[in-house]
Every structure is written in structure tokens, then in C-alpha cells.
Amino acid sequence: MHFSFNMDSEFKKNRFALTAIIYATFLLDNILLTVIVPILPDYLASFKNTSENSNIPPSVLYKNFDMHYIPNTMLNKHPVAGNTMKNVSKEIQHQHLIQGHEFNVEMENERVGLLLAMKAFIQLFFNPIVGNVLATRFGYKSTIFFGTISLLMASLFFAMGDSFIILLIARAIEGIGSSCVNVCGMSLIAHLYPEDHQRSKVMGIILGSIALGVLIGYPLGGFLYDFVSESAPFIIICGFLFTDLAFQLTFFDLTRNENEINDEENQVKHGSSQWIQLLSNKLIFCIALAIWMSTSAMAILEPLLPIWLIAHLHPKKWQLGTVFIPDSMGYFLGTNFFGTLSYKVGQIKMSVLAIMIVGISCVVIPEAKNVSSLIIPHFCLGLGIGVLDTSLVPYLARLADAISQDETNENLDIDAASNYGSVYAIQQTSVSLAYSVVPFLAGEMVQTVGFPSIMRLLGVCNFIYGPILLIVTIRHNLSNVTTKQPDLLLKETNPSNYRRFYDSIE
């Protein structure tokens, strides 16, 4: 009994250390995601091939121009949508006639859009590879280690970049690293916390690092750029990533024993069938669609809202710089403080409520008469997306467990951990699809129907999808996953699953 107690205590300490490492890696990933935003104008202007205005000194070219007039705070996540800048390009150009030279906003935004969209597109295509191949062949820890090295390489490229092509390559490498870290990070958390109540709480905290990274990255990049140099933020991030890698080498066991190699062979053998089975599962498809639909709200807002505000509400520059802070705060609160509550109330119930709040917020936002009236709907939008993520992301692990149990009953030698990589690859693909494709589609639609109509349509779709998700969930009732717990979706499960706990220790 004493030996068992020590083993439990050691396991808990070890998984706490692993959780802290994953949190730090997620945080650094999102700081790197955002820190480049205030640096991009001078970066692009300083390159010899930046534009036909390259003969203008960067200090003159950007004297009165900053990222507040391109979409700023969250532009790092999403590309500038298609032709949206054409609506107000003339107005902005009139505001920025510098020493007789007309600043080409459209040209610069095309380059910025391409650079920032590169990461999302790389993740869109690389997520399935990570979840279905790398995670099963090399394991979660080794893939996270590789992803962190990729982030370090991207930071070095950003720090030493002297051309647009180098920055584009750095952004692509960053996308590969983010795929490895996000897919395998969540998969490892799901594997470390087989108790559903703990898993829901910890995953919510891990998701909160995304919002915290966004809140830290933008001001950090601007401050260090103004007072130190344009490469200073990336050098500092490199230092933290080196430290993160040192901790990973200390706490990650990157060696594979004979049992793990046998498990790997079974996982690779059944990898394609797992991927197809998960994609064809109605519940997983509905959850992925809910994540895509709610994330699309932010994917559309971030490139289009600042332009709409400039054209209609004429805000001050500092107001544009703070317009996305409320939704980041809402997401941070939603992920950090609603994980346990959503588990107790019911993760599907909370996700239905959250996506309906997202829908209402989308409808209210274009009704704003001034910038300050955007604070409440923006906060509610971020809160709704945060609560939905912290409800559905842990729930995907429960589905993976149930599917694995079904496969065990059918005498298929597949562990639940092999399903985690695939199911979180699907989840990350939904997010990447929203960030990479939706803004461009909205950018084309805004030319004909306008920004308010797009937001109202998206809001109605989100609001209606809430009850649809609930109805589909009840009707499906896990009949294709397990027949022993038909009320798994809407009820709290027993967290005292000692068998799975000790299996994890072993």
C-alpha cells in the first residue's frame, strides 16, 4: 500500500511538470504568433524588394502610419481578407501622403496578408499528418519536442530575416511547429488526465494560454521594437524556447521501449481506419462543425471590423489598437474558469449555450454606434468561444476513449491514446480552416452584401446551430460508440475511474 501511494504521488508530480511544460510551450507559440504584428511595417519597408516605394526611408514612410490601420491586434492570426482593403484604400491613402509619395496600402496589405496567412494554410494541411502519422509513429512527446525546435528555428529566421521570402519561410516553419505542439500537446494532456473532471479543468487552463499569449505578444513586440530593436523580441523568445527545450529533455522520456514500439506498429497499421472512423462519426463531425462555425466569427471580424470602423465610425488610432482586447479577455476567462463548471453542468449543454451567445454577439456587433459600444458584445463573443472550446475540446477525448473501448470489445489492439492524435488533428483542422479560408471568402462577399449582413448571417447560423447540436446529440445518443452509457453526453460521468488511472501509471 505504501508503494502504491508513492507511485501515485510520483505520477501526479510528473504529470504536473509535463502539464506546466505544455502550458509554457503553448504560451510561447502564441507569443511568437502575435509579437511580429507591430514590427511588420518597418520590416517590409526595409527590404529592397518591398514595393515601388522602397526608395523612401522606412522612418519617413511609416512616420504617421502603423498597424492600427491594417487590422492590428489579432491580424497575426488571420490573413487580410481578399479585396476588403479596396473599400477604404483611397480614404486611407489620403490620410498617408508622405513627402509627396503616396503609400500603397493595397500592395503592403497583400504582402502582409500572404505572410500572416501562410501559417494557417500550413497548419491546415499539416495537422492531419501530425495526428495520423507523426504522433502514432514517434509519440506525443517526441513530436512536441520537434515542434518546439521548429518554433525555435522560426524565431531565429525572424530575428535574422532580411527579405520577404525569409519571413515567409519562417512563418511556414512556425506553422509546422504549431501543428506539432497543438495537436500532440492536447493529446498528451488527454492521456495524462484520464479522470474526466480533471481533464476538463486542465484543458481549459491550457487553452487559456492562447489568449494570454495574444495579450502578451502584441505589446511586447511593440515595446521591444521601439526601445531595443526589431530582432529583440525574437531573440528573447529564442531564449525562452531554449529553456523550454531543456525542461522537455529533463522531463520528457523520448526513448521508446519494446511495448511502445509494438503499440506503434498497431497504431500505424490501423491509422487510416482510425482516421476514417473518426471523420465518419456523427458526434465528432458535429463538434468539429461547431468549433469551425464559432471560430469563423473571429476569423471574419479581425480583418474586416477595423476597416468597417474606419469607413463608418472614424475611430482614433488608439481605439483601433484596443478594439480586440475585450474578446481576448473573454476567451481567457471562459477557458480558465468554466472548465469544471461545464463538466458538472454538462459539456454539450454548455457548448450549446456558448454557441448561441456567439450568435447573438455577432448580430449585435454591426449595430454599434461607436467604438465603446463594441466592448460588451466583443467580450461576450470571446467568452462564448472560450466556453465552447473548454467544453468541446475535453469532450473529444471522452469520445476517443469511448471509441477505443468499442475497439477493445471488438478485439482490436488499439489504445485510446492513438485516437487522441487523430481527433485533435480534426479539431485543429477545423480551427485552421476557419482562420485560413473564411476571411478570404468574407472579403469577397463584403463587396456585394456588406459587413453588417455577413455578421448577421453568421450570427443567425451560430444561434440556430446550438439547438441543432443538442438535437443531433440526443438522437445519436452514442449508439455508434457505446451502448453502456447512453446518457454520457448530457450527464456527468464518474470521475473515479481507477482502472484507467493505474493503466496510465503503468
Side-chain angles (χ1 to χ4, degrees):
M1 182 67 71
H2 180 69
F3 171 77
S4 177
F5 174 78
N6 289 338
M7 187 171 60
D8 294 353
S9 177
E10 182 180 355
F11 175 75
K12 290 181 179 179
K13 289 181 180 178
N14 185 54
R15 73 175 183 176
F16 175 80
L18 296 179
T19 302
I21 290 173
I22 294 171
Y23 185 93
T25 308
F26 271 55
L27 180 64
L28 291 172
D29 177 29
N30 285 278
I31 291 177
L32 179 61
L33 186 75
T34 58
V35 78
I36 193 176
V37 178
I39 303 173
L40 271 181
D42 279 1
Y43 243 37
L44 294 180
S46 64
F47 299 151
K48 292 181 180 180
N49 61 340
T50 182
S51 68
E52 59 187 15
N53 295 320
S54 58
N55 59 320
I56 307 175
S59 58
V60 175
L61 181 61
Y62 288 101
K63 181 178 179 181
N64 295 315
F65 181 81
D66 57 65
M67 287 296 290
H68 294 140
Y69 276 95
I70 301 180
N72 51 5
T73 310
M74 303 290 284
L75 179 63
N76 54 322
K77 278 189 178 181
H78 314 299
V80 178
N83 297 320
T84 53
M85 290 303 298
K86 293 180 181 178
N87 290 336
V88 292
S89 59
K90 292 183 179 180
E91 177 181 350
I92 297 177
Q93 288 169 352
H94 282 304
Q95 297 174 2
H96 298 286
L97 296 177
I98 303 171
Q99 292 189 354
H101 296 277
E102 185 175 2
F103 181 69
N104 195 332
V105 177
E106 293 181 26
M107 179 179 295
E108 287 305 311
N109 273 276
E110 288 177 2
R111 297 167 67 85
V112 171
L114 177 60
L115 179 65
L116 300 179
M118 176 59 69
K119 178 178 181 293
F121 277 114
I122 291 295
Q123 284 187 259
L124 178 64
F125 293 104
F126 209 73
N127 285 330
I129 298 175
V130 173
N132 204 39
V133 179
L134 297 183
T136 56
R137 186 173 294 276
F138 301 106
Y140 299 140
K141 296 175 184 177
S142 297
T143 309
I144 293 171
F145 186 76
F146 170 75
T148 308
I149 292 177
S150 299
L151 295 177
L152 177 61
M153 291 177 58
S155 300
L156 291 173
F157 271 92
F158 278 126
M160 299 182 297
D162 57 358
S163 68
F164 178 76
I165 298 299
I166 297 297
L167 296 186
L168 205 61
I169 294 173
R171 196 69 171 177
I173 297 174
E174 182 188 353
I176 295 174
S178 294
S179 291
C180 295
V181 167
N182 284 282
V183 173
C184 291
M186 277 301 174
S187 300
L188 183 58
I189 291 294
H191 185 60
L192 290 173
Y193 292 89
E195 316 96 319
D196 287 327
H197 67 297
Q198 285 285 351
R199 177 188 286 169
S200 182
K201 178 181 178 181
V202 173
M203 281 190 173
I205 295 173
I206 296 294
L207 288 169
S209 65
I210 298 174
L212 186 61
V214 170
L215 291 172
I216 293 175
Y218 186 78
L220 178 67
F223 177 82
L224 292 176
Y225 171 69
D226 287 338
F227 293 98
V228 186
S229 69
E230 58 197 19
S231 61
F234 305 109
I235 295 174
I236 292 176
I237 292 175
C238 285
F240 281 105
L241 286 171
F242 267 119
T243 305
D244 188 24
L245 286 170
F247 277 105
Q248 290 183 21
L249 287 173
T250 302
F251 291 96
F252 282 7
D253 184 7
L254 301 179
T255 60
R256 315 290 303 275
N257 57 41
E258 185 176 351
N259 292 332
E260 289 176 326
I261 293 174
N262 292 333
D263 289 341
E264 172 195 311
E265 292 176 354
N266 290 325
Q267 291 168 13
V268 172
K269 178 180 178 181
H270 297 284
S272 299
S273 61
Q274 285 177 285
W275 184 255
I276 295 172
Q277 181 181 6
L278 291 172
L279 284 175
S280 60
N281 185 281
K282 293 181 180 179
L283 291 177
I284 294 177
F285 178 80
C286 289
I287 289 173
L289 186 59
I291 293 173
W292 172 79
M293 191 173 296
S294 62
T295 306
S296 295
M298 287 307 303
I300 291 176
L301 266 181
E302 288 161 7
L304 297 188
L305 179 63
I307 299 170
W308 181 76
L309 290 176
I310 292 172
H312 294 84
L313 301 184
H314 310 290
K316 299 179 180 178
K317 290 184 180 181
W318 70 266
Q319 289 178 313
L320 282 175
T322 60
V323 71
F324 289 108
I325 291 179
D327 60 70
S328 297
M329 293 299 300
Y331 187 87
F332 181 79
L333 294 175
T335 52
N336 278 274
F337 299 104
F338 283 83
T340 302
L341 178 62
S342 65
Y343 175 77
K344 292 181 177 180
V345 174
Q347 290 164 322
I348 292 296
K349 292 178 181 177
M350 287 295 291
S351 62
V352 169
L353 178 63
I355 199 170
M356 294 176 72
I357 291 175
V358 170
I360 295 173
S361 302
C362 289
V363 173
V364 173
I365 285 174
E367 303 300 326
K369 303 301 181 184
N370 51 63
V371 177
S372 60
S373 61
L374 290 171
I375 294 176
I376 294 178
H378 257 251
F379 177 83
C380 291
L381 177 65
L383 181 66
I385 297 175
V387 172
L388 183 133
D389 284 352
T390 200
S391 299
L392 294 184
V393 172
Y395 187 73
L396 286 172
R398 296 174 64 186
L399 288 178
D401 291 337
I403 292 173
S404 177
Q405 183 63 38
D406 232 23
E407 291 169 340
T408 301
N409 294 336
E410 296 176 6
N411 297 321
L412 294 177
D413 190 14
I414 299 177
D415 183 67
S418 64
N419 279 330
Y420 294 149
S422 298
V423 80
Y424 285 119
I426 294 173
Q427 178 255 333
Q428 282 294 313
T429 299
S430 298
V431 174
S432 299
L433 190 64
Y435 286 160
S436 59
V437 176
V438 172
F440 286 103
L441 296 178
E444 298 300 326
M445 290 177 60
V446 77
Q447 304 297 319
T448 55
V449 300
F451 170 76
S453 297
I454 292 177
M455 292 306 300
R456 294 184 189 113
L457 177 62
L458 183 63
V460 171
C461 290
N462 273 272
F463 189 86
I464 293 177
Y465 190 74
I468 293 176
L469 176 63
L470 183 62
I471 293 172
V472 171
T473 300
I474 294 175
R475 287 187 176 181
H476 188 58
N477 205 18
L478 281 180
S479 60
N480 294 331
V481 180
T482 179
T483 59
K484 295 182 178 180
Q485 289 181 304
D487 57 347
L488 177 63
L489 291 174
L490 302 179
K491 287 188 177 181
E492 175 187 3
T493 57
N494 182 13
S496 302
N497 198 332
Y498 291 106
R499 181 183 63 79
R500 286 197 296 158
F501 180 73
Y502 286 110
D503 285 347
S504 298
I505 298 176
E506 183 178 354

